[in-house]
Coordinates of all heavy atoms in Angstrom, one line a residue:
F22 N -66.6 29.1 -36.8 CA -66.4 28.1 -35.7 C -64.8 28.0 -35.6 O -64.2 27.5 -36.4 CB -67.1 26.7 -36.1 CG -67.1 25.7 -35.1 CD1 -67.9 26.0 -33.9 CD2 -66.3 24.6 -35.1 CE1 -68.2 25.1 -32.9 CE2 -66.5 23.6 -34.0 CZ -67.4 24.0 -33.0
V23 N -64.3 28.6 -34.4 CA -63.0 28.8 -34.4 C -62.4 28.2 -32.9 O -63.1 28.4 -31.9 CB -62.5 30.2 -34.4 CG1 -61.1 30.5 -34.2 CG2 -63.0 30.9 -35.8
G24 N -61.4 27.7 -32.9 CA -60.6 27.2 -31.7 C -59.4 27.7 -31.6 O -58.5 27.7 -32.5
V25 N -59.1 28.2 -30.3 CA -57.7 28.6 -30.0 C -57.2 27.6 -29.0 O -57.6 27.4 -27.9 CB -57.8 30.1 -29.3 CG1 -56.3 30.5 -28.9 CG2 -58.5 31.0 -30.2
E26 N -56.0 27.0 -29.5 CA -55.4 26.0 -28.6 C -54.2 26.5 -27.9 O -53.3 27.1 -28.6 CB -54.9 24.8 -29.4 CG -54.4 23.6 -28.7 CD -54.0 22.3 -29.5 OE1 -54.4 22.4 -30.7 OE2 -53.4 21.5 -28.8
L27 N -54.1 26.3 -26.5 CA -53.0 26.8 -25.8 C -51.8 25.7 -25.8 O -52.3 24.5 -26.0 CB -53.4 27.0 -24.3 CG -54.5 28.1 -24.2 CD1 -54.9 28.2 -22.7 CD2 -54.0 29.6 -24.6
K28 N -50.6 26.0 -25.4 CA -49.5 24.9 -25.3 C -49.8 24.1 -24.2 O -50.4 24.5 -23.1 CB -48.3 25.7 -25.3 CG -47.9 26.4 -26.5 CD -46.5 27.0 -26.3 CE -46.0 27.8 -27.5 NZ -44.9 28.5 -27.4
N29 N -49.6 22.8 -24.3 CA -50.0 21.8 -23.4 C -49.0 21.8 -22.0 O -49.5 21.2 -21.1 CB -49.9 20.4 -23.9 CG -50.9 20.2 -25.1 OD1 -51.8 21.1 -25.3 ND2 -50.9 19.1 -25.8
D30 N -48.0 22.5 -22.2 CA -47.1 22.4 -21.0 C -47.1 23.6 -20.1 O -46.3 23.9 -19.3 CB -45.6 22.3 -21.4 CG -45.2 23.4 -22.5 OD1 -46.1 24.2 -22.9 OD2 -44.0 23.4 -22.8
L31 N -48.4 24.3 -20.0 CA -48.5 25.5 -19.4 C -49.2 25.2 -18.0 O -50.0 24.2 -17.9 CB -49.3 26.6 -20.1 CG -48.7 27.0 -21.3 CD1 -49.8 27.8 -22.2 CD2 -47.5 27.8 -21.2
P32 N -49.0 26.0 -17.0 CA -49.7 25.9 -15.8 C -51.3 26.3 -15.8 O -52.2 25.8 -15.2 CB -49.0 26.7 -14.8 CG -48.0 27.5 -15.4 CD -47.8 27.0 -16.7
V33 N -51.5 27.2 -16.9 CA -52.8 27.5 -17.1 C -53.5 26.6 -18.4 O -52.8 26.0 -18.9 CB -52.9 29.1 -17.6 CG1 -52.6 30.0 -16.5 CG2 -52.0 29.4 -18.8
N34 N -54.7 26.7 -18.4 CA -55.5 25.9 -19.4 C -56.7 26.5 -19.9 O -56.9 27.7 -19.7 CB -55.8 24.5 -18.7 CG -56.7 24.7 -17.7 OD1 -57.6 25.6 -17.5 ND2 -56.7 23.7 -16.6
G35 N -57.4 25.9 -20.7 CA -58.5 26.5 -21.5 C -59.5 26.9 -20.5 O -60.4 27.8 -20.7
N36 N -59.8 26.1 -19.3 CA -60.8 26.7 -18.4 C -60.4 28.0 -17.8 O -61.4 28.8 -17.7 CB -60.9 25.6 -17.3 CG -61.5 24.3 -17.7 OD1 -62.6 24.5 -18.4 ND2 -61.1 23.2 -17.2
D37 N -59.1 28.4 -17.5 CA -58.7 29.5 -17.0 C -59.0 30.6 -18.1 O -59.5 31.7 -17.7 CB -57.1 29.5 -16.7 CG -56.8 28.5 -15.6 OD1 -57.7 28.4 -14.7 OD2 -55.8 27.8 -15.8
F38 N -58.6 30.3 -19.3 CA -58.9 31.2 -20.4 C -60.3 31.6 -20.6 O -60.8 32.7 -20.7 CB -58.2 30.8 -21.8 CG -58.0 31.8 -22.7 CD1 -58.0 33.1 -22.5 CD2 -57.7 31.5 -24.0 CE1 -57.5 34.1 -23.4 CE2 -57.4 32.2 -25.0 CZ -57.4 33.7 -24.6
A39 N -61.2 30.5 -20.5 CA -62.6 30.6 -20.8 C -63.1 31.6 -19.6 O -64.1 32.4 -19.8 CB -63.2 29.4 -20.8
K40 N -62.7 31.3 -18.4 CA -63.2 32.3 -17.2 C -62.8 33.7 -17.3 O -63.6 34.5 -17.1 CB -62.6 31.6 -15.9 CG -63.3 30.3 -15.5 CD -62.7 29.7 -14.2 CE -63.3 28.4 -14.0 NZ -62.6 27.7 -12.8

Side-chain angles (χ1 to χ4, degrees):
F22 196 63
V23 179
V25 177
E26 185 176 357
L27 303 174
K28 293 180 180 175
N29 296 353
D30 58 350
L31 301 172
V33 294
N34 62 29
N36 287 321
D37 298 319
F38 199 18
K40 288 177 186 175

